[in-house]
Amino acid sequence: MSVYTPVTRQQLERFFSTYSLGKVIDFEGIKDGIENTNYFVTTTRGHFVLTLFESLTAKDLPSFMELMTYLDKNAIPCPRPLSGLQTNPLRVLNGKPAALFKRLTGSAVDSPSIAHCRQIGLHLAGLHRSTQDYVFPVNNRRGLDWCQRVFADIGPSLCPADRALIGDELRVQRHYRTDRLPRGVIHADLFTDNVLFADGQLSGLLDFYSACTDTLLLDIAITANDWCCDSGTVNPEKFMALLSAYESLRPLDALEKQRWPLMLRAAALRFWLSRLLHRLQPRPGEITQQKDPLVFRHILEQHRRQTPAIPPRPAVGPSCSRPGAGNRRRTDSGDSEYGTDCTASS
């Protein structure tokens, strides 16, 4: 979530005229996230989130709208697209596909507790179970082949230490097949900023636009790497809490447990590369957010040194990049600015 496509009040009022949701009182851009343009909108009849899609096309989007509608009907707390005065929830606003959602209650947590990790483990297992028979015709667009392409693209801008680490991890991951692991619908981006809590209870899962059909274990690893690492440092107790809660609803099979350490590494590599790409090739926008790539480099290094195990007992370098001169710009976000010299990430 960011603001790449500005929207005027007049455009918003015309947009809302196709709904029975009252008059627009106020609106503001949302700076969190990096993929789409998002606004909070308040009307005389409630609070809403407006999303303008920057990468997904009108042809891509119906599958995601149908998935969120299905999840909402099956008691998964996620935004349901609003159709308004027509059956199709998709519109066009300022030249971009757009959709409107009721704003869910709650807020994201910056530093998840062990109790938060348990809750996200339970809800992730609930998501996987509720969609076990759901056919979602979207494959993972950011799998290992994507990682290889990004590395080929940005590799010349990285220091030798980064190139060596990424190249070695890609070689390791290429040796292992994942087609025998259980598959299904995965969120693929269930970071803390995509989950809401109200009064200590999970109240919403957000941003399903990276959702795809892939190995369920990858979804757990992506989630755990964010929720169970404190400022990039692995917290074994949090890993144990998340995995134990997940397995109380959906026990992992023997192959999943065997592949868990490798999947944690694959998930860390994917997000290290995506953050490097965004840092080196930023998209222009009115409000944008950049996240620190070094966090996931540090996580990957820890996973390569350790072998986290599955409950009940969890077992649980320098970096640089050189953005081009034309890519340097102000970022209005709460994140700290990080240097691009080879520096330790801890």
Side-chain angles (χ1 to χ4, degrees), residues 322-329:
R322 298 188 300 273
N327 286 339
R328 298 190 185 101
R329 75 196 195 294

Side-chain angles (χ1 to χ4, degrees), residues 128 207 233 264:
H128 291 168
D207 200 357
T233 300
L264 286 170

Side-chain angles (χ1 to χ4, degrees), residues 169-182:
E169 188 59 35
L170 283 168
R171 284 190 292 272
V172 170
Q173 295 294 332
R174 287 285 184 196
H175 277 85
Y176 294 91
R177 296 172 57 182
T178 61
D179 54 345
R180 292 171 54 205
L181 293 168

